[in-house]
Amino acid sequence: MTSSKTASAPQRRLIIPPLRCVYANFHDIAETVLRVVAGLALVTHGWGKIQNPFGAAGMVEGLGFYPGVFWSPLLAATEFFGGILIAIGLLTRPASFAAMIVLLVTVYFHWIVRAEGFAGAEKSILWAAIFLFFAVRGGNRQSVDAKLGREF
């Protein structure tokens, strides 16, 4: 009897078998593109906040995060520096986890506070899911983490 841990996964049958090479060759590239784009989008979103790290103090207090002078710079750093870390793939898991938490707060903000429901929170839900993926998966072979040979 074969243990489920030692049994190899069954070969997936593709409708168009020659595509197996395409999928195998572009798997890491597609994942890297998603990580870099998500990280750079987060950097872009955090750019204004990092220029004025205390500027969002009132907004975060309006969401119940006190004191705003603590949470506002943390939000700015998470978006700006966390985005850079995610884009280059350094400390990918903790940076992605922090970004996911920020995005889940924006889901709450749009869905509950502003009463926009799914339509208002949809983009934040998608971004939170992307950062969940990288929080679990890490940075892949094309990341600084991989080049250093160490991951969080």
Side-chain angles (χ1 to χ4, degrees), residues 58-82:
M59 185 267 299
V60 296
E61 284 184 353
L63 292 172
F65 291 89
Y66 293 95
V69 295
F70 170 77
W71 291 106
S72 181
L74 193 60
L75 172 63
T78 299
E79 289 184 358
F80 185 74
F81 296 113

Side-chain angles (χ1 to χ4, degrees), residues 95-143:
S96 295
F97 182 78
M100 180 192 68
I101 297 300
V102 166
L103 270 298
L104 290 175
V105 171
T106 66
V107 169
Y108 168 78
F109 173 73
H110 287 285
W111 197 309
I112 305 298
V113 174
R114 294 189 65 186
E116 296 171 341
F118 178 77
E122 179 179 10
K123 188 166 43 169
S124 294
I125 292 168
L126 287 169
W127 282 108
I130 289 168
F131 290 122
L132 170 64
F133 175 83
F134 289 110
V136 171
R137 178 87 174 189
N140 84 3
R141 292 186 296 190
Q142 283 82 35
S143 67

Side-chain angles (χ1 to χ4, degrees), residues 10 20-21 23 29 35 48 65 84 121-122 128 145 147 149 152:
R20 185 174 318 284
C21 281
Y23 299 146
I29 293 168
R35 179 176 46 79
F65 291 89
I84 291 170
E122 179 179 10
D145 290 335
K147 302 303 180 221
F152 194 86

Side-chain angles (χ1 to χ4, degrees), residues 11-72:
Q11 185 75 20
R12 289 188 280 180
R13 295 179 59 208
L14 296 175
I15 294 171
I16 304 173
L19 289 177
R20 185 174 318 284
C21 281
V22 173
Y23 299 146
N25 289 326
F26 289 99
H27 177 271
D28 282 349
I29 293 168
E31 189 175 319
T32 300
V33 168
L34 180 61
R35 179 176 46 79
V36 171
V37 169
L40 292 178
L42 195 61
V43 169
T44 302
H45 195 71
W47 175 246
K49 291 181 184 81
I50 205 68
Q51 291 178 336
N52 182 10
F54 298 102
M59 185 267 299
V60 296
E61 284 184 353
L63 292 172
F65 291 89
Y66 293 95
V69 295
F70 170 77
W71 291 106
S72 181

